[in-house]
Amino acid sequence: MYLSERPRRLRRNETLRRMTRETQLSVDDLILPLFARDEPRARKPIASMPGQFQLGVDDAADAAAAAMDAGVPAVLLFGIPARKDAMGSEAYNRQGVICRAVEAIKKRCPGLCVITDVCLCEYTDHGHCGVLRENRYGALDVHNDATVELLVKEALVHADAGADIIAPSDMMDGRVGAIRDALDGAGFEDAAIMAYSAKFASAFYGPFRDAAESPPQFGDRRSYQMDPANGDEALREMALDIEEGADIIMVKPALSYLDVIARAADEFNIPIAAYNVSGEYAMLKAAAAQGWLEEKRAVLESLTAIKRAGAKLIITYWAMDAAGWLQKQA
Ligand code: PBG
């Protein structure tokens, strides 16, 4: 039988597949999230995220050192403070959990890239990402500009502690520009900003809110995070953050938003990050625990798909496993 093309010729064996593979997932692409608790030593399992832990500050430094040894270039830190209040004041305490974790990690692993999540939801007693004020319609809502002022303070203490990259995840308008100005004004002009630019109001953050003890105590985050139906708006959000000075833009979650990642990669020429979020982790973990999916293959396929869509950086709770699996393949 004559066929003008036989694509199967190049799929015949692994050598040919390796030679013609378009997307190479690498350990260099991975960022490991860590949850730091405000105590020296702790290792508290997160029920909805099997294999993940809330760690004491010194344990977070141990985990960071292990990541570096495995070749993972960066960690992303989330803080669980000892006390929460309406204004999230532990978030911008220079002596707070994140600043101490950054210092402990930088002391152990000066070469590791330390990224800090900048948001208030882990630090407020109401669990929202900013300052609550009654709006002019009589409803309690997160006040944009009052929140930006506090996010700026948070970014400054993180930079002062030694963070390499500041990652605002709050979705307030104008926060990237305000943080950039403040960092430059304080002599932190080399601290980069990775903006959670297209962050959707997603059901897939559920397990994270257990992990960070940050579920909103009333309502939801739909007045500040994006509507999952909006792709064009995601591009506008990303363009705004680039204009305001973002060095890296992020799409979050990753797997239900691969189209947004692909459009961003077409449109912009700065590095794109994607967050393979807690719910995406929990889904595969649960199926793998049942024996319904092969975890390693499903994870490597998902991460490769995120990269193929156009993300250069992938934040994933599987960073340590993936680093090991990728090494063995090579
Ligand atoms: C907010 C923040 C969240 C995540 C990262 N930063 C939660 C939220 O917006 O509710 C979610 C990450 C995940 O689900 O893995 N500080």
Side-chain angles (χ1 to χ4, degrees):
M1 183 170 66
Y2 172 77
L3 287 175
S4 62
E5 275 199 50
R6 287 185 183 268
R8 288 187 56 192
R9 277 187 198 122
L10 299 181
R11 295 178 201 146
R12 207 162 43 82
N13 62 37
E14 184 54 17
T15 304
L16 289 166
R17 289 191 293 269
R18 264 175 58 206
M19 290 167 66
T20 56
R21 190 160 289 143
E22 298 172 34
T23 305
Q24 307 292 340
L25 184 68
S26 153
V27 66
D28 297 337
D29 308 327
L30 306 175
I31 298 173
L32 173 70
L34 294 175
F35 298 101
R37 280 180 75 83
D38 199 350
E39 49 192 304
R41 288 282 172 194
R43 195 174 162 79
K44 213 175 144 196
I46 300 163
S48 51
M49 299 175 71
Q52 301 298 314
F53 299 85
Q54 292 182 349
L55 298 171
V57 170
D58 296 339
D59 299 278
D62 292 347
M68 197 172 76
D69 290 345
V72 174
V75 294
L76 169 60
L77 299 182
F78 295 96
I80 299 134
R83 55 180 194 88
K84 305 193 185 213
D85 58 31
M87 301 294 280
S89 42
E90 277 299 301
Y92 36 93
N93 174 358
R94 179 62 182 82
Q95 268 24 274
V97 56
I98 286 295
C99 291
R100 296 196 335 270
V102 171
E103 287 168 344
I105 293 171
K106 276 290 172 186
K107 199 164 150 202
R108 284 272 295 274
C109 322
L112 187 73
C113 174
V114 177
I115 310 174
T116 56
D117 185 86
V118 165
C119 193
L120 296 183
C121 63
E122 297 122 75
Y123 306 93
T124 52
D125 50 13
H126 47 73
H128 277 285
C129 299
V131 180
L132 293 179
R133 290 238 179 115
E134 202 170 280
N135 65 19
R136 46 197 195 92
Y137 310 101
L140 216 47
D141 197 6
V142 173
H143 190 276
N144 194 87
D145 298 11
T147 301
V148 170
E149 278 180 35
L150 300 184
L151 297 168
V152 163
K153 287 168 67 171
E154 185 177 4
L156 284 172
V157 295
H158 291 181
D160 190 54
D164 297 284
I165 302 183
I166 304 297
S169 71
D170 51 281
M171 288 302 278
M172 297 302 121
D173 295 331
R175 90 282 205 209
V176 172
I179 289 172
R180 184 70 272 159
D181 281 352
L183 289 173
D184 289 357
F188 301 123
E189 60 279 338
D190 60 356
I193 297 178
M194 175 168 80
Y196 286 72
S197 304
K199 177 172 178 180
F200 291 89
S202 172
F204 293 102
Y205 307 151
F208 174 94
R209 292 174 189 173
D210 290 345
E213 300 179 5
S214 63
Q217 297 303 305
F218 67 91
D220 55 43
R221 304 209 200 290
R222 284 185 285 187
S223 81
Y224 40 104
Q225 297 180 351
M226 285 190 55
D227 189 308
N230 295 357
D232 292 342
E233 188 193 354
L235 291 195
R236 287 203 298 281
E237 281 278 12
M238 289 188 266
L240 276 173
D241 284 356
I242 294 170
E243 258 174 58
E244 290 178 30
D247 302 280
I248 300 169
I249 48 176
M250 193 201 299
V251 176
K252 177 185 173 195
L255 291 172
S256 304
Y257 298 86
L258 293 176
D259 59 321
V260 177
I261 298 173
R263 288 178 68 182
D266 270 352
E267 185 86 11
F268 306 115
N269 59 2
I270 72 170
I272 295 165
Y275 201 138
N276 180 212
V277 298
S278 58
E280 297 171 338
Y281 179 84
M283 276 195 299
L284 276 189
K285 277 285 183 191
Q290 295 283 335
W292 294 341
L293 274 179
E294 205 186 306
E295 182 176 2
K296 174 181 165 181
R297 279 190 61 198
V299 170
L300 291 176
E301 181 178 332
S302 301
L303 298 178
T304 301
I306 294 167
K307 185 154 189 201
R308 188 196 63 233
K312 172 59 185 78
L313 300 164
I314 306 172
I315 301 154
T316 179
Y317 301 100
W318 278 294
M320 295 301 287
D321 305 270
W325 294 330
L326 290 168
Q327 213 136 41
K328 278 186 204 105
Q329 269 182 354

